Amino acid sequence: MEGLLFLAHRIPFPPNKGDKIRSFNLLRHLSARYAIHLGAFVDDPDDWQYRDALKPYCASIKLLPLNPRRAKLASLVGLLSGEALTLPYYRNRELARWAHELAASGAVTRGLAFSSAMAQFMPAGLARRVLDMVDVDSDKWTQYAPTQRWPLSWLYAREGRKLAAWEARVAQDFDATLLVSHAEAALLQQRAPDAQHRIGAFENGVDADYFTPARDYPDPYPPGVQGVVFTGAMDYWPNVDAVSWFAERIFPAVRALVPGAQFTIVGSHPSDAVLELARQPGVVVTGSVPDVRPWLAHAACAVAPLRIARGVQNKVLEAMAMARPVVASAQAAEGIRAEAGRDFTLALGETEFAHAVVARLQTASSAAPARDCILAHYDWARNLSTIDPLFEQAAVAPPILETCPA
């Protein structure tokens, strides 16, 4: 098989959080057609144990440590160079040298960069260079800015501008740039009009055999509790903001009407702010759990109260696959091929969110249409098959998704 250089900003295993779910499934899919040479950073010491799990999919593996604290300090170089801080955060001479040596030797003829930050390492001259940008990350920084005080508000606004310029530049440099949804692709097309014919999307998938309501799961909730669950990495600021907003501004109104309600925050590495929420009546923070499915299966509803979001929320897709009623904000629902009112409940604002959750708790039931939606639109094999021509032919435009159904 021909060699393919696969560069990822984070080791693509285990597939237990948004970016890793997408990168691992992409890696596994491409490994059936190419000899994969994987280069990635490891920013969590616990993830070093998973190197061997990637060997069946790779011809060679180059993993490099990334200390988030040191990387943040290194990123400040961007203030002097005038570039987005994201770029020096990941800059690494060893990875750059390794990638270019593979290309020079002919060991790789194609390349896939996963996230815009990894585009800086992709050698020129490969037969095909594809970028999976996933999200328009610059817009997320722009959303962060007004939520912070100076100087972070200035720094985040700057990052939004600088990273947007970088995203537009690499979209022009690569043969194809992919995003996670039609909405993300349309935004990048607006920002990089000269490259819009090379910008497209392929949707995420869900392992519906794994996330299935058809199995018996142990009930993790105490007797008499009506579970309201949020799942996600709890050191990720948009998730922290979401659960803080829900716990402090919405859940008290829910519990006043449904005293047996329990808001359970399920996810790894809870920040101090998240741990503090457990002081509130009816709020439980689990930290990392070996399996999120029991928490979903036995919940009366799942919530996705994100106020800052980009791309597609896997937490919403997984809850829908488990046939759980989902109450989601507009930001969390954006880009998902689902019909509000049928497949999930859309809630705008604190009062509407509280009323929607109470309604779900008072009429506890499964959400069969939600699972049907997942089976119809979020099959990994089907969605990934659309990108194969991008690596095989020299003049194939990326797949552009049709507008999501109303």
Side-chain angles (χ1 to χ4, degrees):
M1 293 188 290
E2 291 188 70
L4 185 146
L5 178 63
F6 191 112
L7 300 173
H9 70 290
R10 185 177 290 121
I11 179 174
F13 203 89
N16 59 359
K17 58 192 302 184
D19 63 288
K20 289 186 176 185
I21 293 170
R22 185 173 170 97
S23 61
F24 171 70
N25 279 280
L26 185 55
L27 173 72
R28 181 171 59 179
H29 175 79
L30 292 172
S31 71
R33 296 163 177 77
Y34 300 99
I36 302 292
H37 296 266
L38 170 66
F41 293 106
V42 179
D43 59 5
D44 184 340
D46 289 342
D47 283 351
W48 284 105
Q49 63 182 300
Y50 300 114
R51 179 188 178 93
D52 288 348
L54 290 167
K55 287 183 177 179
Y57 309 103
C58 301
S60 71
I61 299 174
K62 181 74 168 180
L63 298 181
L64 294 164
L66 187 148
N67 183 302
R69 289 186 178 181
R70 293 178 182 174
K72 286 179 181 178
L73 290 174
S75 72
L76 296 178
V77 171
L79 295 175
L80 300 177
S81 63
E83 62 190 332
L85 305 189
T86 298
L87 301 180
Y89 183 95
Y90 288 102
R91 189 157 293 144
N92 185 287
R93 292 180 181 178
E94 186 176 351
L95 181 62
R97 182 170 58 251
W98 175 80
H100 283 80
E101 287 176 353
L102 282 172
S105 69
V108 295
T109 58
R110 290 157 171 76
L112 184 284
F114 188 85
S115 84
S116 62
M118 301 308 290
Q120 63 185 310
F121 301 108
M122 185 61 66
L126 296 180
R128 294 292 286 172
R129 303 194 317 154
V130 176
L131 171 63
D132 186 3
M133 197 176 289
V134 189
D135 305 324
V136 182
D137 277 337
S138 60
D139 200 61
K140 186 161 51 183
W141 289 107
T142 301
Q143 290 183 56
Y144 286 171
T147 70
Q148 304 294 317
R149 295 179 179 178
W150 192 90
L152 285 181
S153 59
W154 172 82
L155 193 67
Y156 289 172
R158 178 192 182 276
E159 186 67 5
R161 294 191 303 272
K162 296 292 186 178
L163 192 56
W166 171 255
E167 290 165 344
R169 172 184 163 186
V170 293
Q172 294 176 349
D173 288 346
F174 275 67
D175 297 302
T177 297
L178 297 165
L179 293 108
V180 73
S181 71
H182 174 84
E184 294 291 304
L187 176 58
L188 186 62
Q189 286 178 326
Q190 292 173 5
R191 295 181 174 187
D194 292 343
Q196 61 179 320
H197 62 290
R198 296 198 299 272
I199 297 170
F202 80 89
E203 292 176 296
N204 279 357
V206 178
D207 185 342
D209 291 331
Y210 182 79
F211 287 99
T212 174
R215 294 193 179 96
D216 290 327
Y217 301 98
D219 190 347
Y221 299 99
V225 159
Q226 290 182 273
V228 178
V229 68
F230 178 97
T231 61
M234 295 319 306
D235 56 352
Y236 180 52
W237 193 78
N239 286 346
V240 175
D241 175 75
V243 298
S244 298
W245 179 56
F246 184 84
E248 295 168 355
R249 304 297 296 272
I250 299 170
F251 187 63
V254 173
R255 206 157 189 264
L257 295 173
V258 186
Q262 175 180 298
F263 179 40
T264 306
I265 302 167
V266 179
S268 60
H269 306 298
S271 67
D272 290 342
V274 173
L275 293 172
E276 186 68 21
L277 296 176
R279 292 177 176 270
Q280 296 181 212
V283 178
V284 173
V285 179
T286 68
S288 181
V289 297
D291 190 348
V292 301
R293 292 175 300 172
W295 297 95
L296 289 169
H298 292 280
C301 75
V303 293
L306 283 91
R307 298 190 292 181
I308 296 172
R310 291 251 46 98
V312 170
Q313 300 300 313
N314 286 286
K315 59 176 67 66
V316 174
L317 301 182
E318 291 167 358
M320 290 173 61
M322 294 288 290
R324 289 295 80 207
V326 176
V327 181
S329 64
Q331 294 90 331
E334 185 177 357
I336 293 178
R337 285 202 179 206
E339 181 179 337
R342 183 192 66 186
D343 304 321
F344 71 98
T345 300
L346 180 65
L348 307 176
E350 296 169 6
T351 301
E352 189 172 326
F353 219 111
H355 287 167
V357 172
V358 168
R360 297 273 64 80
L361 296 179
Q362 292 178 338
T363 59
S365 63
S366 66
R371 180 167 172 83
D372 292 340
C373 173
I374 296 300
L375 295 176
H377 299 298
Y378 291 98
D379 176 77
W380 273 119
R382 182 174 61 246
N383 291 352
L384 281 165
S385 67
T386 64
I387 71 168
D388 290 338
L390 300 180
F391 296 92
E392 297 167 358
Q393 301 174 29
V396 175
I400 304 296
L401 296 178
E402 297 178 358
T403 303
C404 296

